[in-house]
Amino acid sequence: SRTAALPATGTAGQIAIVPATAGANANALALWDQSLAGAAAWVYLPPQEGWQVWIADEARHVRFTAGSWVEVPRPGIVRIRTLTATSHTLETVDLGSILETTGSSAVTVTIPPEATVSFELGALINITQVGAGVATVAAAAGVSLNGVPGGSVALDGQWSGAALVKRGADAWIIQGALAGAVA
């Protein structure tokens, strides 16, 4: 379970995720150890990158990624992230998501170099321009987009979308409703 705070005592076999806001053991898995030989107490396991947990009482699947527990979407369900700022640099939590730009101001979504954020080959991120502000996808220095080093391209307009796929080290492909060729 995921609780606001762990109780002072637990029940045999109880496992919980310590809240991220807790001072000590933040994000750790807490197991109630009630062995016959020792005193009952919480035992904390610091989470490791990639650990996955099913939270039965919430019917949710979470993965420890980039320092926090994030929900793993169910098959066929895509997480939608709303971008309200005028710029966004892709991060691991964007994987498998649809990023929606919703404002009236232009928005630039930047693909970072692999040295900054290491996405796996085949990583997929979708971008949809919902608002009137032009959404542009830009590759950072050292990154190529459709074979163009440091390339960029705008989406075709409101309600258009595109898919980004990582195809190699610092190499991405964008496909979809684009306003023109990557330049």
Side-chain angles (χ1 to χ4, degrees):
S1 81
R2 201 188 270 223
T3 58
L6 291 177
T9 62
T11 58
Q14 183 178 0
I15 299 173
I17 296 175
V18 178
T21 56
N25 301 304
N27 288 317
L29 289 182
L31 293 76
W32 183 253
D33 183 17
Q34 193 167 357
S35 66
L36 297 174
W42 287 106
V43 176
Y44 300 97
L45 301 174
Q48 303 298 308
E49 186 75 15
W51 276 12
Q52 297 187 43
V53 175
W54 173 255
I55 304 173
D57 60 344
E58 297 176 17
R60 293 185 329 125
H61 180 197
V62 294
R63 175 184 301 123
F64 192 72
T65 302
S68 64
W69 291 100
V70 295
E71 189 160 352
V72 175
R74 296 180 316 229
I77 304 297
V78 177
R79 188 166 42 106
I80 297 173
R81 293 194 68 207
T82 302
L83 304 181
T84 56
T86 58
S87 66
H88 176 74
T89 299
L90 296 179
E91 50 194 346
T92 55
V93 298
D94 295 328
L95 263 174
S97 297
I98 296 174
L99 305 180
E100 287 188 343
T101 64
T102 59
S104 57
S105 298
V107 177
T108 299
V109 176
T110 302
I111 304 167
E114 191 164 313
T116 305
V117 180
S118 184
F119 290 103
E120 290 182 49
L121 289 180
L124 172 66
I125 300 168
N126 290 287
I127 300 169
T128 302
Q129 180 184 321
V130 174
V134 175
T136 298
V137 177
V143 178
S144 70
L145 182 60
N146 287 13
V148 178
S152 68
V153 65
L155 297 187
D156 196 31
Q158 190 170 17
W159 304 112
S160 64
L164 276 172
V165 178
K166 183 175 180 181
R167 63 176 299 268
D170 287 322
W172 291 74
I173 294 174
I174 188 167
Q175 300 170 324
L178 306 175
V182 175

